[in-house]
Amino acid sequence: MSLGLSPRSVASVPQHELLEALRTTGLYLRTAPFVVHVRSAIPIVAEGLSRLYARHVCWTEPRQFADFHVTVRRQWRPGRALCVFELDGLRPFTPLAYGEAYAFFEWGLNWCITSHCHHWITLHAAVLERDGQAVVMPAPPGSGKSTLCAALMMAGWRLMSDEMALLDPSSGLLTASPRPISLKNTSISVMRSRAPDAVFGPMAHDTLKGTVCHMQVSPESTEQADVPARPAWVVFPRYVADAPLTVTPHPKAQALLNLHRNSFNHHVHGRQGFEALADVVAQCDVFDLRYSQLDDAVAWFERLEG
């Protein structure tokens, strides 16, 4: 293994060195704004990191600091191989099927951020940016948020996050954290057809969410990961099969309540947190979006003006 401490892209690390680092001292992966120290001897974890974080900066040598030290390891049960997720040696979740190991890494990292990173107000929402202005899309599972997020990214929007908005309560700006987009079930085939040149990670079958696969973020999203953006729109999307595109203004008072419901930690910030979310709603245009055809939805987003 190299003894230097210079950062490299994951793609530039020889496969044998990447595997050795993951098995032994761990891989230090920068996924802005965090550095994650990850260890795993499970091949599918190495496969997913190699494919989906190819353009991300990493170190294969020990460093002095990482935001999170995580491990995804194998656990044997009678007649069955499982995997467990550890943060600093602690296991916050029950074991999952062995084939879900890479997805477990992504889900576990989401939990690490929302449970421990209180510098920001964290919202369960996708965030995309264009010309310095961001659209925030809070939505429950099954709403089509991630599929729409992937389609917008392929149409030229910069992905700031598929899963969580990181709002600085002092500046009112959103911090980017572009990581692979989590697609489920039929959304996987839809995006494979729509973006045949995109890079997809390992498939996890029979999870609680069905079949799960992650999609690599665009080069522009990775390159501009350190660039914040100001919220300009809040859109509550919902996929409805065979429905025409419908866009209606969303009442701002209700929008503020919905942002609170989608926040993981606004209570930690007290009054400042409430006022920061109120400021987002006050400065943004807020809409409900119902759609069935991705092309129609993407075309509507292209017509947005700040």
Side-chain angles (χ1 to χ4, degrees):
M1 290 173 56
S2 169
L3 297 179
L5 287 175
S6 58
R8 296 175 285 173
S9 68
V10 172
S12 70
V13 180
Q15 191 68 11
H16 72 276
E17 185 178 343
L18 183 70
L19 292 170
E20 180 66 14
L22 285 168
R23 281 196 299 261
T24 56
T25 58
L27 179 74
Y28 288 79
L29 178 69
R30 184 170 191 269
T31 172
F34 310 106
V35 173
V36 182
H37 176 227
V38 55
R39 297 175 61 190
S40 183
I42 301 177
I44 201 171
V45 175
E47 178 188 348
L49 293 173
S50 179
R51 283 195 208 172
L52 297 171
Y53 289 89
R55 291 187 289 267
H56 284 66
V57 168
C58 73
W59 297 260
T60 55
E61 310 86 353
R63 287 169 51 83
Q64 292 183 339
F65 175 80
D67 293 280
F68 308 109
H69 298 267
V70 305
T71 303
V72 184
R73 67 173 77 251
R74 182 196 302 254
Q75 182 182 81
W76 288 103
R77 292 275 179 88
R80 188 183 183 195
L82 302 172
C83 63
V84 294
F85 178 91
E86 297 179 352
L87 172 66
D88 295 329
L90 301 176
R91 297 181 178 181
F93 308 109
T94 56
L96 295 180
Y98 187 70
E100 297 178 49
Y102 178 75
F104 209 177
F105 164 75
E106 293 288 351
W107 297 333
L109 186 52
N110 288 341
W111 174 83
C112 289
I113 295 168
T114 57
S115 298
H116 298 89
C117 295
H118 300 310
H119 173 74
W120 300 274
I121 300 172
T122 53
L123 304 170
H124 182 216
V127 185
L128 298 108
E129 175 269 342
R130 185 177 64 182
D131 299 329
Q133 297 180 304
V135 55
V136 179
M137 294 196 295
S143 62
K145 168 181 63 68
S146 294
T147 312
L148 180 56
C149 183
L152 288 169
M153 182 184 73
M154 299 308 297
W157 287 72
R158 173 169 70 105
L159 176 72
M160 298 185 70
S161 180
D162 165 45
E163 287 289 346
M164 65 193 74
L166 302 177
L167 177 68
D168 186 329
S170 298
S171 68
L173 296 177
L174 292 160
T175 297
S177 184
R179 290 174 36 222
I181 299 174
S182 177
L183 300 172
K184 298 178 285 295
N185 303 314
T186 57
S187 294
I188 301 169
S189 59
V190 168
M191 290 313 303
R192 283 187 183 275
S193 174
R194 192 178 186 90
D197 296 329
V199 176
F200 293 85
M203 300 272 281
H205 300 280
D206 300 323
T207 76
L208 290 176
K209 301 179 180 182
T211 300
V212 175
C213 183
H214 290 78
M215 178 181 176
Q216 187 187 64
V217 304
S218 65
E220 298 78 15
S221 301
T222 305
E223 292 164 5
Q224 299 180 56
D226 294 319
V227 180
R230 187 166 298 280
W233 308 279
V234 177
V235 178
F236 296 92
R238 183 182 175 191
Y239 172 82
V240 180
D242 301 321
L245 181 76
T246 304
V247 181
T248 55
H250 189 103
K252 291 206 170 188
Q254 186 64 43
L256 179 56
L257 290 175
N258 286 336
L259 288 186
H260 271 273
R261 292 190 188 106
N262 280 276
S263 171
F264 295 100
N265 68 342
H266 70 271
H267 59 284
V268 174
H269 295 269
R271 178 173 179 173
Q272 184 186 30
F274 177 85
E275 291 178 348
L277 292 179
D279 288 343
V280 169
V281 173
Q283 73 191 29
C284 288
D285 293 327
V286 187
F287 302 101
D288 285 308
L289 172 71
R290 302 292 179 267
Y291 75 98
S292 61
Q293 300 299 316
L294 278 174
D295 287 338
D296 293 342
V298 170
W300 178 79
F301 276 89
E302 292 298 309
R303 296 191 296 270
L304 280 177
E305 295 182 359

